[in-house]
Amino acid sequence: MLIVTGYMQVDRADLAQFLRDLQALATATRQRVGNISYYAAVDDPQAGRLLISERWSDQSALSAHLDAPDTVAFVRRWQGRMRGEIRKYDASNERDLTEV
């Protein structure tokens, strides 16, 4: 499993439109083969900062998402107006939170 997490930031004046566009993308993304979860949460509305959390079954599923026409269109639409730091992590030992 791959975990993708980090933050995105847009100008606060653009936050509402960014969230609408991201919601449309999220709805489609959650239906994609290999998507386990795909979420964004507003962390600081005054700064236009969002926390990003995604889980994917494998790299081919994530790559298919990144290459999908709606993802490419979203990135093009917001390129230069969004910034952030998002990282990908390999998870090979998934278990309940209370397990040691």
Side-chain angles (χ1 to χ4, degrees):
M1 174 177 49
L2 297 176
I3 298 170
V4 177
T5 189
Y7 74 90
M8 292 298 300
Q9 193 161 347
V10 296
D11 289 338
R12 121 178 129 175
D14 292 333
L15 183 59
Q17 184 60 54
F18 184 82
L19 289 171
R20 284 190 291 274
D21 291 352
L22 184 59
Q23 181 59 45
L25 178 62
T27 298
T29 298
R30 291 181 185 126
Q31 303 305 312
R32 294 197 169 124
V33 172
N35 177 259
I36 300 168
S37 65
Y38 189 89
Y39 295 101
V42 176
D43 176 49
D44 183 347
Q46 295 302 315
R49 184 179 166 109
L50 299 95
L51 300 175
I52 305 298
S53 175
E54 305 174 27
R55 290 186 302 151
W56 295 90
S57 61
D58 54 34
Q59 183 60 52
S60 63
L62 176 56
S63 294
H65 161 65
L66 295 174
D67 293 338
D70 55 351
T71 304
V72 171
F74 176 85
V75 171
R76 281 188 186 143
R77 183 171 35 254
W78 286 97
Q79 194 166 22
R81 297 187 294 155
M82 66 178 176
R83 56 205 174 278
E85 183 177 318
I86 298 179
R87 298 286 186 247
K88 172 178 65 175
Y89 302 89
D90 296 299
S92 60
N93 190 19
E94 183 179 2
R95 60 196 177 280
D96 281 342
L97 183 62
T98 58
E99 283 185 50
V100 177

